[in-house]
Amino acid sequence: MRTLLRNGRLAAGGRVGPGNLLMDGERIVAAGPELSGNAERVFDLKGAYILPGLVDLHVHLDDQIGRFELADSYLGGSRIAAQNGITTLCSFITQDRCRSLPQAMRDARERAARGTHCDLQWHLTPTTFEARDRAFLATLPALGWHTIKLYTTYREAGICSDDSRIGDLFRTLGPAGFGFLVHCEDDDLISGADADPSAGPQAHADLRPPLAELTAVRKVLGLARANRARLHVVHVSTAAAARALAPAREGDHGITCETCPQYLWLDPAWLRREDGHRWICSPPLREDREEFRDLARSGAFDVFATDHCPFCRGDKDDWDRRDVRSVANGLPGLGALLPLFWRLFEEDPDRAALELARRAAENPARVAGLWPRKGSLAPGSDADVAVVDPSGPEREVRSSLGEVWEPYPGFRTRVQASLVFRRGDLIVAEGQLVEADPGGRILPRFPEL
Ligand SMILES: [Zn+2]
């Protein structure tokens, strides 16, 4: 079926202006100002923006983290995502003490097979690196697995990599076709931090100081440059780390970084409230958010992502008040991606549309190895399209449809994903899901497991 979107404002490929878009089946056929043509289905957008479907590069779904099962399955998470213009989700597969990497991949595939409204991609976190593990990993890029996620912290969980291992993986698995996402917080500085874990939620932030992020960023950046690895630093939370990354992002190819809505908009003073543990995440909420938002506006972050990590209310409240490190560590955010990054550029909607297209669609698709199939409105790309209306009905920002504590209470928005297409199928209209049977696809192919 051919679908024509007319009378919109195209925002993609670094340009914004009036235009139309034609899709046929699963693909985009053409986009531009003069475009017309026959179509079975025609939508008049009345000046709303046409963006590539958003790609959330950093989401945790359908997984167990520490003691807790996450509050969103692939299906549930993809619902709030689609309602906010996201058509591709990049989640994580983590090898742990009980499961080999192939077993963890099999589990993820089974869970995803229960359905998703978005297309799905994964980053892999291996934790064993014997010769046969590396040989297995090296077979994966040819099947569409493009990224490995590494941690410089969480030693007690068994997923921390030290400098020599990180350098070694950059050197050996980079040329095999992998890019690397790295969580940068230096575990030695964290374990040596002078803070009392029984002193309440604020202690969580004191235990993970800004210097831990900056130190890890500097080390990992040096290792990436020395080994010519593609590096993406996830959830940058401090201005100092952003500044340390800036010269490498401009000079090198393949050094990128992201930030998330919680580091732009949430107030670290809330950690001192009685219910402050509800805002615990790593890295923690930081001071000086005005300066950080200015950095985001000036292009300090290649990617806008969420680090969506939703816990049920009961699980978030289930901690012994003696040790803040026992709190379920993470915040939901999928439904906040569109409204809270748009808010950065609110006075200039053309700019907002362009920044979202670049940093929440095009760039994350590149980092994930999915561009130009995803994150593009060029002919031949998947017909993943988000039509965004900045003056929709006012609504509350809602991060997840699960039973979670909303981290953005009282935040309101009028930005609406008024139409969302995933590979040509209309899945959302007026911000509401209209797809009954979830038709999202698993993007990478699986080896014999
Ligand atoms: Zn994360």
Side-chain angles (χ1 to χ4, degrees), residues 58 60 149 307:
H58 189 159
H60 300 271
K149 165 89 180 283
D307 196 4

